[in-house]
Amino acid sequence: SAAPKPEAAGASSDVDVVSAAAVGFVGMGAMGRPMSKHVCSAVLRAGGRAQVWNRTGGRAEEAAAESGAEVARTLQDLQGCEVVFTCLPTSQEVESVAQQLSEVLSAGAAVVDCTSGDPVVTRRIGEQLRAKGIVMVDCPVSGGPRGAQAGSLTSMLGGDEADVAKVVPLVRAFSGKVS
């Protein structure tokens, strides 16, 4: 028999996020802000903790008001997060943020990078995080800002199978299709 298709998950659906009680989202741009709203709302509905950060604090405050998340004033405030999503303009910003996160996240935490970045840099970031016991899942998305707002993005996950499985329930919060 055929495997069931993953359902599109938006703000109104139940998403199994019990494996991630504390989630952060970095990058409140045209894609990141609506994606963070879906993830943070799902985490909060499940009784978890959600935080958002943006280099310009006002954007983080606006995003937090939409989802109910807390505003992380600094990346260090994301200490204690089990999963941190990044959705940034380029791999260079991801590398800078990941380096800072590697100093505060605990071993076993995961960074899920949704930036459409440079694969060579993404692999290097993954190696740097792995050296600190932090896992990285590459999660480029397609569907544009409308798909992000609708929670219907296509997300293409890459990384260790167990690490990918850990974050799929969260990724489904903003995805119509996960592969």
Side-chain angles (χ1 to χ4, degrees):
S1 73
K5 291 183 179 180
E7 293 181 31
S12 64
S13 64
D14 291 325
V15 178
D16 177 15
V17 293
V18 291
S19 65
V23 175
F25 206 108
V26 173
M28 299 296 114
M31 296 292 289
R33 183 171 171 171
M35 291 165 66
S36 75
K37 180 179 177 181
H38 291 298
V39 171
C40 293
S41 296
V43 168
L44 293 169
R45 278 196 312 275
R49 180 177 183 204
Q51 295 175 281
V52 294
W53 181 87
N54 197 73
R55 99 183 141 218
T56 52
R59 293 193 77 143
E61 289 171 9
E62 292 167 1
E66 291 174 357
S67 68
E70 300 169 35
V71 175
R73 300 286 171 203
T74 68
L75 289 170
Q76 290 71 27
D77 290 344
L78 298 176
Q79 181 177 10
C81 285
E82 296 168 55
V83 178
V84 176
F85 285 84
T86 57
C87 189
L88 299 166
T90 71
S91 294
Q92 286 65 44
E93 286 93 347
V94 176
E95 192 164 34
S96 173
V97 164
Q99 199 257 332
Q100 294 176 66
L101 290 173
S102 74
E103 301 299 324
V104 299
L105 296 179
S106 299
V111 172
V112 181
D113 181 29
C114 301
T115 304
S116 296
D118 179 338
V120 173
V121 177
T122 298
R123 283 191 286 279
R124 181 173 67 228
I125 295 166
E127 291 166 7
Q128 293 166 348
L129 291 171
R130 200 168 19 261
K132 302 266 187 152
I134 300 165
V135 301
M136 181 173 183
V137 174
D138 189 25
C139 182
V141 297
S142 68
R146 282 189 182 173
Q149 291 164 3
S152 63
L153 294 171
T154 296
S155 299
M156 298 145 281
L157 289 97
D160 179 80
E161 191 174 335
D163 300 334
V164 168
K166 175 182 175 183
V167 302
V168 163
L170 293 166
V171 172
R172 284 195 175 131
F174 56 74
S175 303
K177 182 178 180 185
V178 177
S179 62

